[in-house]
Amino acid sequence: MSALARYFHAAGKQVAGYDKTASTITEGLTELGIEISFQDSVEVVPSAFKNKEKTLVVYTPAVPKNHSAYHYYLAEGFSVKKRAEVLGWLTQQKYCLAVAGTHGKTTTSAMLGHFMASCDLPVTAFLGGIAENYQSNLIQQGEEIVVVEADEFDRSFMQLFPNIAAITSMDADHLDIYGDAEALQQSFRDFAAQVQEDGVLFIKNGLPLEGITVGLEDDAVYAALTIKIENGAYHFDLKHPDGLLQDLVLNLPGRHNLSNAITALAMALHYGCPADKLAKALFAFKGVNRRFTYRIKTEDEVLIDDYAHHPTEIDAVHSAVREMYPNKRVLAVFQPHLYSRTRDFMQDFAASLAQFDELLLLDIYPAREEPIEGVTSQKLLDLIPLTRKEVVTKAALQEKMQASKARIKVMMGAGDIGEEILKLTKNLKR
């Protein structure tokens, strides 16, 4: 949503908005002169945005259905559109590159937007996270090409008709919306069918879809070969239909990020980006905020911040940590996100979190949901076969983390743990 706010602000529109809580993202919008309210009240809506003829209201499914301003706009007959619909509208009549997938789409689309910008192309990229190279989730370098993160939640990506698309993964998620894994997979097949007739679809090798495959050290059409780790960076060659790109370097940890990079490189190469510029852009890519972000990195202590909120994502973080810090004791701090997701994947979460050496669990972050009876962090904790584990409050988190002898600490979750870790980092650095 904040990327859309930035886009319309840059276009000279008057922009205001609502959010549940203040964050570094809302602070950034406020600094631009965008007025943000944190109060669910029609009274706090600026008068300029009560003019029906001149106001477009954009919302996401994260806004509760009983929100008073939302009801006001509906009752008064304003033009009220879902974020996905507006995003689809903005991509019309433009060359669209879209990245979908239950995991990896934010980093892949951020890489792709960065690659296209580095190749001096007239691109606008709408991202689901803050790209470190730009300190923004909006890259603006022109209007002819659009790079967009295609979100499967609530079937939002069905508003897009891309020229080049990628699907990075199709793991079960959002079962509160889809009901079962098959319905979710069908939505990805439906999205794949929306690629333009003369367009192309890239897929992670092994997915049950028709498309050009990408992979790591396998038989994919685009594949990373001769992968080595040197000084915390991946060095590899890229096999592609026209030959081999040699000696590429990715400065992000985790094989999942290497897979993301191959997907973004495949899309950019297919578009026609020069290989030499792509190699430099890949080397210079700094990542996405809260995707394996180092908050502290010293000889004595490492604190890593990650958005992981699904068992598969936790597995990817764990794999990256063990690859970077073999034989080191690791403390994980996790804030479950949504009661429904915690319920649907309780056993999987337990198995993923059990891979760490120590565990601190925060209470479930509800987001848009009401509590579900019997679904608690304590119930999840009881399933995890670790000796050093407990449910903690945010107030006690710093003390518990400092008491741990684990040199490597990882904090994960999609709720307000992202803001907690910023406070915690300041205190720990002191």
Side-chain angles (χ1 to χ4, degrees), residues 233-254:
Y234 285 108
H235 293 248
F236 65 98
D237 299 332
L238 175 64
K239 177 190 75 171
H240 62 97
D242 298 321
L244 191 71
L245 294 184
Q246 294 181 297
D247 303 320
L248 297 175
V249 181
L250 171 67
N251 287 300
L252 296 184

Side-chain angles (χ1 to χ4, degrees), residues 353-414:
L353 293 167
Q355 299 173 99
F356 296 93
D357 302 302
E358 303 174 20
L359 176 66
L360 298 175
L361 266 188
L362 291 167
D363 284 332
I364 297 169
Y365 185 78
R368 58 188 179 272
E369 293 184 339
E370 296 296 322
I372 297 174
E373 189 176 345
V375 180
T376 64
S377 287
Q378 184 61 51
K379 184 175 179 182
L380 173 58
L381 191 82
D382 292 342
L383 295 173
I384 299 168
L386 289 175
T387 49
R388 296 184 65 85
K389 62 174 184 177
E390 63 179 305
V391 175
V392 298
T393 62
K394 290 176 193 167
L397 188 55
Q398 182 176 329
E399 181 187 341
K400 296 290 185 182
M401 288 180 71
Q402 286 177 309
S404 169
K405 290 188 168 58
R407 183 181 149 240
I408 316 300
K409 299 177 174 71
V410 185
M411 295 180 70
M412 299 175 289

